[in-house]
Amino acid sequence: LENLILTSVNPLLRDKVEFRENYNLGNLLVLHGDEVCKGGGSGSGRSVEKTMQRINKSVMQGHVHRLGMFVRSTEASGLQYGYEVGWLGDSKQLAFNYTKYPDWHLGFAVVTYLDMGSKDFNVELISIEKTKKGKGRKCFYRGNVYELW
C-alpha cells in the first residue's frame, strides 16, 4: 500500500498525503474531472469519454460518482481507456443533497503496473455492495470477499 495514491483524503490523513489536482501515472491521467454527459451524466463511462476526447489520453476520474469504463481506439496511440471510479461518500450527508435521486456507485479502483517504470497498466473497478442483511457493506477483490462495515 505504500504506493497508493488517494484522490479523496480522510481529514486525519490530510497532513500525510500530498493533494494534487492531477496525477500522471505513466500513460494514465488520474484526476477529479469536470465532464458530465447531457441528461444528468447517464450511462456509466460516458462522461470519461468526453474527457478522453478532449485530452487524447487514458483517464481515470471520479467526478460523476459512478463506476464505469470506456475504451476507444486511435490511430496514433492505439487503445485508450477511461475509468469512472465511483466514490466513497455518504449520500445521506447534507453536503450531497443537491440531487434528489443520486445514481452514485460506492466503489474504487486498483491500478496495477507491470513494474514501477512501466507505462503498461491494468485497472480493476471494485464495487461496494450491501450485505445480505442490508446493514453492512462488502466488496469482492481477486477472489476474496471483504466485509467493510
Side-chain angles (χ1 to χ4, degrees):
L1 292 177
E2 67 187 58
N3 295 318
L4 179 68
I5 294 177
L6 304 173
T7 56
S8 296
V9 180
N10 180 312
L12 297 173
L13 300 175
R14 200 166 301 282
D15 294 345
K16 299 184 180 4
V17 177
E18 177 187 348
F19 176 79
R20 290 184 286 169
E21 192 64 30
N22 303 326
Y23 291 91
N24 279 300
L25 302 176
N27 288 335
L28 180 65
L29 175 65
V30 180
L31 69 160
H32 178 271
D34 58 8
E35 305 279 356
V36 177
C37 289
K38 291 183 180 181
S42 59
S44 293
R46 303 311 290 190
S47 295
V48 77
E49 175 189 12
K50 290 175 72 173
T51 304
M52 290 169 65
Q53 289 173 344
R54 182 171 49 83
I55 65 171
N56 196 32
K57 187 172 183 173
S58 292
V59 175
M60 176 183 288
Q61 68 183 25
H63 180 64
V64 295
H65 301 173
R66 294 189 178 141
L67 289 166
M69 179 179 167
F70 181 82
V71 182
R72 74 180 195 149
S73 180
T74 66
E75 281 190 42
S77 61
L79 291 179
Q80 292 178 342
Y81 302 90
Y83 304 94
E84 293 177 358
V85 296
W87 79 312
L88 296 171
D90 180 355
S91 62
K92 294 182 177 93
Q93 295 298 311
L94 185 60
F96 301 111
N97 72 355
Y98 57 85
T99 182
K100 194 171 184 177
Y101 303 107
D103 180 18
W104 299 340
H105 310 153
L106 283 175
F108 58 96
V110 175
V111 182
T112 305
Y113 282 85
L114 190 58
D115 60 57
M116 288 306 290
S118 174
K119 293 188 179 223
D120 296 324
F121 63 88
N122 182 59
V123 174
E124 297 168 84
L125 295 177
I126 312 298
S127 64
I128 299 173
E129 303 171 16
K130 290 182 179 180
T131 59
K132 287 184 181 179
K133 295 179 183 176
K135 293 185 179 181
R137 299 287 185 269
K138 67 180 178 186
C139 71
F140 296 92
Y141 178 62
R142 295 184 180 170
N144 295 303
V145 178
Y146 294 91
E147 298 284 334
L148 304 173
W149 64 84

